[in-house]
Amino acid sequence: MKKILNAIACGSLPKRDIRNANIVNLWGVAWVLSLWLALTSIDNQWLTSTFEIIAVLTINAVIGIAMVFAYKRMLNELDEMERKIQLDALAAAVGSIIIVFAAGSILEKATLINELEVSHVILAMSLTYAVSLIIGRVRYA
């Protein structure tokens, strides 16, 4: 249990890596909030013009791009073992989403489920990535 808690808290990482991870996390939260605000604004018809919608979309995209660059910087500054753990987690997340989305598409086509929600795909990918990180850090600790 101690290994799992240490993996979650990033206890074995250097302070620089923890700082970089926190920067990525802050950009990630900002991106999710901007996405939520954009979707809520459109659903509630708070945005009335195409210009407003494009402006909100642009803000969301800029925040997302900043998050990607922060993540890339973090990966570049990690040691080899943590970089391997991160890349393994990314591979697991992308692979699982491809499989889940394909299965969901088949079920949707067969009318066994309703339309796939993008938010569910993002959530499943995020959870798979987080769990894979924890597993990798426990395995290599």
Side-chain angles (χ1 to χ4, degrees), residues 61-72:
V62 167
I63 293 170
I65 290 168
M67 177 183 64
V68 169
F69 279 112
Y71 186 73
K72 184 177 180 334

Side-chain angles (χ1 to χ4, degrees), residues 42-89:
I42 291 169
D43 285 345
N44 292 323
Q45 298 179 346
W46 297 337
L47 304 175
T48 56
S49 72
T50 303
F51 174 78
E52 291 171 334
I53 293 170
I54 291 173
V56 168
L57 171 67
T58 302
I59 291 167
N60 177 256
V62 167
I63 293 170
I65 290 168
M67 177 183 64
V68 169
F69 279 112
Y71 186 73
K72 184 177 180 334
R73 177 177 177 225
M74 182 190 79
L75 281 178
N76 286 334
E77 293 184 8
L78 292 172
D79 64 25
E80 289 179 22
M81 182 56 70
E82 184 62 24
R83 190 176 302 133
K84 178 186 179 0
I85 292 168
Q86 290 281 337
L87 293 175
D88 287 350

Side-chain angles (χ1 to χ4, degrees), residues 96-107:
S96 66
I97 287 310
I98 290 170
I99 293 166
V100 167
F101 191 76
S105 296
I106 292 168
L107 293 174

